[in-house]
Amino acid sequence: MGNEEMNQKTKHMLQAPNVNSHQKAAVAKGVKAIGKKKDEEEGLDTAEGEEWMQGKTLVKPPDQLDLTEAELNEEITRVLKASNPNAPQNVVRYSFKEGCYKPIVFVDQMAIHFELEGNLVHKESDEGRRLMAKQAEVDDGGGVERPDNVAIKAAKREQKLTNQFNFNERASQTLNNTPRDISCQTEPPPRANFSATANQWEIYDFYVEELQRREKSKEKHEGQFLNKEEDKSKKKMIQAETQNDDISQLAKVVKIIERMVNQNIFDDVAQDFMYFEDASDEFRGEKGTLLPLWTFQYDKAKSLSVTALCWNHKYNDLFAVGLGSHEFTQQGGGMLLFYTLKNPSYPEFIFNTASGVMCLDIHEHLSYLVAVGLYDGCVAVYNLKKKTDQPIYNSRASSGKHTSAVMQVKWQKDDLDSNHNFISVSADGRLVSWTLVKHELVFTEIIKLPVIDTIPDDLKDVIPTVGTSLDFHKQKDYSFLVGTEHGKIHKGSKYYSSKFLEKYDAHFMNVTRVKWNPFHPDVFISCGWDWMVKIWDQTMKSPVFTFELKTSVTDVAWAPYSSTVFAAVTTDGKVHVFDLNINKYEALCQQKVVSKKTKLFNIEFNPVHPIIIVGDDRGHVTSLKLSPNLRKKPKEKKGQDLPKGPEVEIAKMEQLLSSMR
Amino acid sequence: MLDIECAGAEVEETIKRIQSQKGVQGIIIVNAEGIPIKSTLDNSSTVQYAGNVHQLLMKARGMVRDIDPQNDLTFLRVRSKKNEIMIAPDKDYFLIVIQNPTE
């Protein structure tokens, strides 16, 4: 650029000589700015050439710009600057402070044209002095000291080496500190080994617990204010429990173990109970036998006699035994025991009563409610769920209580207010209904037994007719039968409180039991001290069947599986089993089941299993298994399906009855 | 409080009854950790029974619950030539009764 400008200007100069002086001055000034000697020389040359060539013709170089006159005349100002045109103008440096590239304004404008390093050392400087000293020593001829020798040799060496870069190696030895290890040991964090198994049931347990916890917390939230006091008492309870929790927790387990031990001891009995079927029955024709199974006895009941037996309908292995005394002169305390077939050695429940138990009944649906009639005329209701020894209801304080022994109690269906109620008959001749209302027994008199004609009129109110037995019809539960001491059976209805519907002259002596047939609606059975067992059709005044068993019959019971099978017990310790379908005149089995001089007082069939229990006057209860002959179902005709159900039983009975009419 | 005391007494009575039954050789009550707390046998036998039964019980219980978590073990009978060992577990304890059934 400069060249061209210069060329242009010189050409200008050539064409217009009057501008010569300007041109020269410009040239002289432009030396520093441009710094190109050649141009200067060229300018000088051309200037000289120009002077030399003034007289000659103008020679144009071939590549000269053609400019117009105006352009040629144009004045171009040239400015001298102190800036280096070759220095970069747009240097950018990265600024760490601002984190971006920033242009640097002040750029070094110095242009170095020539550099030459000199080899002159100042006299006063260290190096100068050293060199001078060296030279002086060399002149003196060298010293004796060793370090000086070394220094001299080094100096000589140094002198020999002419190193362009004047390299100096300097080393120094520093003092190394002795290394020391400092370490510290901390106590390791306490460790404990944890191991667990993750089974399906552990996971299940955890979830169940979690659910319970949540429910509890919900309950707490809901009943927070009200339950504060309760919680306090609960806390006390919990503390007490944890103190005494040693053995009492084992109650259930111990019970199971006891039963297991008993099962082992009575293993053969248990096997017989379940599986044994007397094969010899086939050879015996019609007759059957009773196989003795377990005997239930309780030490403290030794002096008492069994007065009542009742199976529990819900738990078929549980039965209740009422203990007291039949003798008027030997009255003492009484007991109510519950046994289960699973544990023959000890009763499940034991209740002591003030007076002898004469009768008992277990509620059909709520099998924990037991009604008990006592010899002193009281009735009591026990709740098996409660752990107390006392009955939950007692008619002791009630005004309508019986004045004489209660002979029979029977639960009824709940009344309209859904209160439980039961009916009792007693030796004072009254039938009373008791209703369980809240904490009381409320009595309602139903009917009074009619006095027999032999008693003179003026004593009729005083001497009652002792009612000895009571039974309610299975289907029409308003209809009932009452047996009396005089041998009469009265049929009554709950709806008629003034009069009985029917009277049967059943026995000459005490009627000990009267029972409706579980299947046939018209049939009932009665037994008494006059050695007779009689089967009646309620529509007929005279019995359909009569059996004479050689001693006083104390109890009779229908079998729950057949309408024609019944069993009776007598005071000579025998059990008589009849099946009217098979033999209308004789018992299929007459077996003595207890030892000499023991009287049997009660018999009951198990609702499910083919066993019967009999109670004797020693306080023992014996269980017996019925052999197959005693449990026969009617033979099916070939090709015909065996019909089942109560209709069959009814039909069977009906057939029998019609044959007798 | 009375209820708990009665329960404890009842349990003691029942244990005595079991002890007096025919053929029963011994009763051991073991707590959840496998330590016998009451026993009618001598010490070494007790410890032996307790330790071994504990393992067996855990295994049996685990098996029953593994198959159906809602199920639980009620009791375990181990009948051997000489006698029968009956084990009934509870939540925190278990009871071992050794009986000779054929006696």
Side-chain angles (χ1 to χ4, degrees), chain A residues 576-645:
Chain A
H576 308 256
V577 183
F578 289 81
D579 188 347
L580 297 171
N581 208 20
I582 296 171
N583 191 331
K584 283 187 270 206
Y585 306 105
E586 268 188 346
L588 294 184
C589 169
Q590 287 180 326
Q591 189 171 330
K592 196 169 162 75
V593 294
V594 285
S595 52
K596 280 186 213 173
K597 295 193 182 171
T598 316
K599 297 180 194 170
L600 288 174
F601 280 112
N602 293 83
I603 182 167
E604 285 289 339
F605 278 84
N606 186 307
V608 172
H609 304 293
I611 58 170
I612 51 171
I613 43 169
V614 289
D616 60 21
D617 66 342
R618 297 248 173 98
H620 299 180
V621 177
T622 314
S623 58
L624 303 148
K625 184 163 182 178
L626 299 160
S627 71
N629 269 352
L630 305 171
R631 292 183 267 139
K632 268 196 181 154
K633 305 264 171 175
K635 277 186 188 167
E636 68 268 30
K637 292 178 188 165
K638 280 184 187 175
Q640 217 181 30
D641 285 324
L642 185 64
K644 288 187 197 267

Side-chain angles (χ1 to χ4, degrees), chain A residues 38-280:
Chain A
K38 275 188 179 175
D39 284 351
E40 192 184 339
E41 284 174 8
E42 252 187 283
L44 283 165
D45 281 345
T46 49
E48 286 172 16
E50 192 188 316
E51 282 176 36
W52 181 66
M53 291 264 313
Q54 256 184 347
K56 287 198 177 166
T57 57
L58 193 68
V59 178
K60 263 194 183 175
D63 57 348
Q64 193 185 46
L65 277 171
D66 282 334
L67 293 169
T68 59
E69 285 284 323
E71 280 177 359
L72 285 170
N73 286 333
E74 193 184 81
E75 281 195 11
I76 298 167
T77 322
R78 300 188 75 194
V79 175
L80 280 175
K81 292 182 209 166
S83 60
N84 180 1
N86 286 329
Q89 285 164 339
N90 53 355
V91 173
V92 179
R93 287 250 159 81
Y94 185 79
S95 159
F96 283 95
K97 185 178 167 189
E98 278 145 26
C100 62
Y101 286 94
K102 288 201 82 184
I104 292 175
V105 180
F106 298 104
V107 180
D108 197 1
Q109 301 291 333
M110 185 160 90
I112 297 172
H113 297 282
F114 177 72
E115 196 175 1
L116 174 69
E117 281 208 49
N119 53 2
L120 294 173
V121 179
H122 196 271
K123 274 205 293 194
E124 304 296 323
S125 77
D126 289 350
E127 208 182 318
R129 285 195 194 133
R130 247 190 283 136
L131 285 170
M132 282 180 69
K134 209 182 9 169
Q135 270 188 334
E137 280 180 305
V138 165
D139 290 340
D140 290 359
V144 186
E145 295 173 5
R146 278 187 192 172
D148 287 338
N149 278 336
V150 171
I152 291 162
K153 282 182 186 171
K156 281 185 183 171
R157 267 191 241 132
E158 276 184 23
Q159 280 178 340
K160 283 181 184 172
L161 286 170
T162 48
N163 196 347
Q164 208 178 22
F165 296 99
N166 202 12
F167 177 68
N168 262 342
E169 187 179 322
R170 292 180 195 199
S172 66
Q173 179 104 20
T174 55
L175 180 69
N176 283 336
N177 291 326
T178 49
R180 284 219 176 115
D181 272 331
I182 299 178
S183 63
C184 77
Q185 188 171 5
T186 54
E187 233 180 70
R191 274 195 211 168
N193 269 338
F194 173 78
S195 67
T197 47
N199 279 330
Q200 204 177 358
W201 50 271
E202 290 215 10
I203 296 167
Y204 173 81
D205 273 348
F206 182 77
Y207 272 104
V208 166
E209 271 175 38
E210 185 67 33
L211 269 171
Q212 282 175 351
R213 243 180 280 158
R214 279 189 198 165
E215 274 168 37
K216 272 185 191 171
S217 65
K218 270 185 199 170
E219 279 169 36
K220 275 184 190 169
H221 282 300
E222 280 166 21
Q224 244 178 359
F225 291 109
L226 294 167
N227 289 346
K228 268 184 185 172
E229 286 181 28
E230 280 183 32
D231 284 339
K232 281 181 194 169
S233 62
K234 270 182 197 171
K235 277 180 193 171
K236 284 181 192 170
M237 274 293 287
I238 291 161
Q239 283 171 3
E241 277 176 30
T242 49
Q243 286 164 12
N244 297 344
D245 70 348
D246 263 354
I247 294 247
S248 50
Q249 276 186 7
L250 287 171
K252 196 178 168 201
V253 176
V254 161
K255 206 167 202 152
I256 293 173
I257 281 269
E258 197 183 357
R259 288 186 182 187
M260 287 165 76
V261 167
N262 274 306
Q263 193 180 9
N264 274 344
I265 296 171
F266 296 107
D267 183 43
D268 45 354
V269 176
Q271 301 282 347
D272 285 344
F273 161 70
M274 275 311 288
Y275 304 116
F276 179 71
E277 302 293 348
D278 201 344
S280 61

Side-chain angles (χ1 to χ4, degrees), chain A residues 13-46:
Chain A
M13 230 167 45
L14 285 165
Q15 286 177 0
N18 54 341
V19 197
N20 204 6
S21 57
H22 276 278
Q23 193 64 30
K24 273 194 181 175
V27 166
K29 281 182 190 174
V31 168
K32 275 187 187 173
I34 295 166
K36 282 180 182 170
K37 287 181 187 170
K38 275 188 179 175
D39 284 351
E40 192 184 339
E41 284 174 8
E42 252 187 283
L44 283 165
D45 281 345
T46 49

Side-chain angles (χ1 to χ4, degrees), chain B residues 57-92:
Chain B
L57 194 62
M58 290 299 125
K59 202 75 187 170
R61 194 184 231 164
M63 178 203 82
V64 168
R65 298 210 71 198
D66 208 22
I67 293 169
D68 178 10
Q70 290 180 326
N71 206 355
D72 198 5
L73 188 67
T74 312
F75 66 78
L76 198 62
R77 276 185 199 257
V78 180
R79 194 137 196 188
S80 67
K81 281 188 204 164
K82 294 189 184 174
N83 52 20
E84 178 163 339
I85 303 165
M86 288 170 277
I87 307 147
D90 185 50
K91 201 175 62 150
D92 295 326

